[in-house]
Amino acid sequence: MKTVVSGIRSTGNLHLGNYYGALRNFIRMQENNRCFFFIADYHSLTTHPDPNDLFPHVKSVLTEYLAAGLDPEKSTIFIQSDVPEVVELYLMLNMHAYLGELEKTTSFKDKARKQPQNVNAGLLTYPTLMAADILLHNADEVPVGKDQEQHLEMTRNFAKRFNNFYKVDYFKEPVAYSDGTQMIKIPGLDGSGKMGKSEGNCIYLNDDPKVIEKKVKKALTDAGPTEPNSVKPECIENLFTIMKVVSAPETVAYFDEQWNKCEIRYGDLKKQLAADIIAATDPIRERIREIDANPEILRRAVTLGKEKARESASKTIREVREIMGFRSF
Ligand code: TYM
């Protein structure tokens, strides 16, 4: 049986990128793997969130995890900060993480550009904390979207380096798991890049259907094709990319054909896309309302998760301490 570990930062509500890049695969994988899915609240600290937001953000991600179908009996669902062993492993791995490689990380360079007034050490060592999350449970596979590819590669490097330095064969080198062979990137509705909270271009799982319609209607498009079978510009390709994950293949084929014949009407495409996004996310919204009415469900899930995660984590920490030479009197 494979061990699977993954998490999502608690920065607010989850969007379609989180769902199709990660959460949907969590749900699939929990059926026949040993799964650890957590809410990365320590990771959310890099942007200095208001303390009043921290708990509500954790709560909404947990609610959405369960509403989307994660089952606390099948998976270990926990809050990152409920398992402080991760901080110890983070410290240990940091002793073998080098400034040059951390500074070169794409996510660090992006964030340093976006928040030049707050280039903190947590931001720099974000990949080591993520590696600690994964290695703490010795994962074989990590379901993540394409934007996390580099962090996973660094995790493998840290694992390899630890094994080589201490001459052991202790940590596995975890690989990405994505739906199919390619890692998914859900684009935003603003014509370029990925869907992301800090990009402000998201459709959230708990957006009201009216809001979803409005957002899709406003998505960037061009003046339309002028020649049959032409290459789609990025903003149009993006709408098709989202359509491919939420709509039936016949729907995608229909609009593709309309495009190729230069007969496409973006208004029709957007109406269909919005309807399909709403249909795909409706059951999740319904379940969110049920969970909101019964917060005991959340308490039960994390109490169980914390216990199971700490059991696995403390075993790793005990063994890593032994390997590194810590001894008790
Ligand atoms: P975060 O919170 O930025 O994103 C959570 C997950 O959602 C995926 N994702 C996307 N996938 C496709 N298209 C998008 N537009 C899109 N936006 C987000 C991300 O790839 C990710 O899988 N560092 C992680 C959280 C983390 C983690 C871990 C993940 C902390 N420790 C250990 C796995 C294992 C992150 O920033 O995710």
Side-chain angles (χ1 to χ4, degrees):
M1 188 185 273
K2 283 186 178 151
T3 299
V4 175
V5 176
S6 196
I8 299 183
R9 266 176 311 148
S10 52
T11 51
N13 293 107
L14 302 185
H15 52 74
L16 289 187
N18 298 138
Y19 182 66
Y20 287 103
L23 184 52
R24 193 177 52 157
N25 287 329
F26 297 1
I27 293 154
R28 289 182 180 156
M29 299 184 90
Q30 71 180 344
E31 295 309 325
N32 37 26
N33 297 287
R34 173 178 175 256
C35 292
F36 294 87
F37 298 123
F38 63 95
I39 298 164
D41 55 349
Y42 282 145
H43 272 108
S44 79
L45 296 178
T46 56
T47 52
H48 295 175
D50 184 327
N52 294 318
D53 288 337
L54 205 69
F55 182 72
H57 284 176
V58 169
K59 188 174 171 214
S60 59
V61 176
L62 179 63
T63 302
E64 288 167 14
Y65 269 12
L66 300 182
L70 277 191
D71 180 344
E73 301 290 333
K74 292 180 185 162
S75 305
T76 298
I77 302 166
F78 65 101
I79 319 286
Q80 190 183 32
S81 62
D82 268 348
V83 185
E85 286 82 357
V86 76
V87 182
E88 185 167 349
L89 187 58
Y90 168 57
L91 177 141
M92 289 160 165
L93 293 177
N94 267 333
M95 303 303 164
H96 294 277
Y98 293 96
L99 183 62
E101 64 185 332
L102 294 170
E103 273 179 333
K104 267 199 315 223
T105 315
T106 310
S107 60
F108 174 72
K109 289 195 287 189
D110 279 354
K111 276 275 157 52
R113 204 173 334 107
K114 278 190 201 146
Q115 52 180 67
Q117 76 297 351
N118 181 19
V119 185
N120 60 62
L123 200 60
L124 182 73
T125 55
Y126 187 108
T128 5
L129 180 54
M130 182 159 159
D133 289 325
I134 297 167
L135 300 178
L136 193 59
H137 306 288
N138 229 341
D140 297 284
E141 288 187 4
V142 186
V144 280
K146 185 149 183 60
D147 57 322
Q148 299 298 314
E149 210 171 12
Q150 190 180 29
H151 290 157
L152 262 186
E153 197 186 327
M154 293 174 79
T155 302
R156 284 192 289 276
N157 288 339
F158 293 142
K160 232 181 306 184
R161 200 174 295 162
F162 180 95
N163 290 346
N164 288 340
F165 189 88
Y166 295 104
K167 301 189 176 53
V168 287
D169 186 15
Y170 185 70
F171 287 125
K172 292 182 210 158
E173 291 176 37
V175 295
Y177 173 90
S178 185
D179 191 10
T181 48
Q182 270 195 340
M183 293 175 86
I184 291 183
K185 181 182 107 175
I186 301 293
L189 296 169
D190 49 356
S192 66
K194 67 163 184 168
M195 183 174 286
K197 198 170 165 70
S198 53
E199 285 77 8
N201 58 10
C202 297
I203 291 182
Y204 294 98
L205 295 180
N206 79 339
D207 270 347
D208 190 79
K210 287 267 168 293
V211 173
I212 296 177
E213 279 169 7
K214 220 183 273 172
K215 285 182 177 176
V216 175
K217 205 169 174 184
K218 279 209 299 211
L220 188 77
T221 47
D222 67 346
T226 49
E227 277 181 38
N229 302 313
S230 49
V231 175
K232 299 183 187 87
E234 193 181 359
C235 61
I236 304 302
E237 191 60 56
N238 285 353
L239 296 182
F240 274 87
T241 302
I242 301 177
M243 194 167 236
K244 277 180 202 150
V245 296
V246 296
S247 306
E250 308 82 75
T251 309
V252 182
Y254 169 78
F255 284 102
D256 222 16
E257 195 187 333
Q258 297 294 101
W259 166 271
N260 285 332
K261 292 197 293 194
C262 296
E263 287 173 10
I264 194 155
R265 288 157 55 139
Y266 291 143
D268 292 349
L269 172 101
K270 286 177 171 180
K271 218 182 241 169
Q272 182 70 48
L273 181 59
D276 290 343
I277 293 171
I278 292 167
T281 48
D282 247 344
I284 301 178
R285 275 184 297 278
E286 198 171 307
R287 189 83 184 108
I288 288 173
R289 282 192 294 273
E290 285 169 22
I291 295 170
D292 281 344
N294 187 1
E296 187 51 29
I297 296 176
L298 302 182
R299 207 173 1 258
R300 230 180 302 130
V302 288
T303 308
L304 187 63
K306 177 179 173 173
E307 202 180 297
K308 289 196 279 180
R310 286 203 75 177
E311 196 182 312
S312 156
S314 56
K315 175 174 179 288
T316 305
I317 290 298
R318 227 177 14 253
E319 291 167 353
V320 168
R321 278 172 159 251
E322 175 79 26
I323 291 169
M324 292 179 76
F326 288 92
R327 298 284 180 274
S328 47
F329 284 93

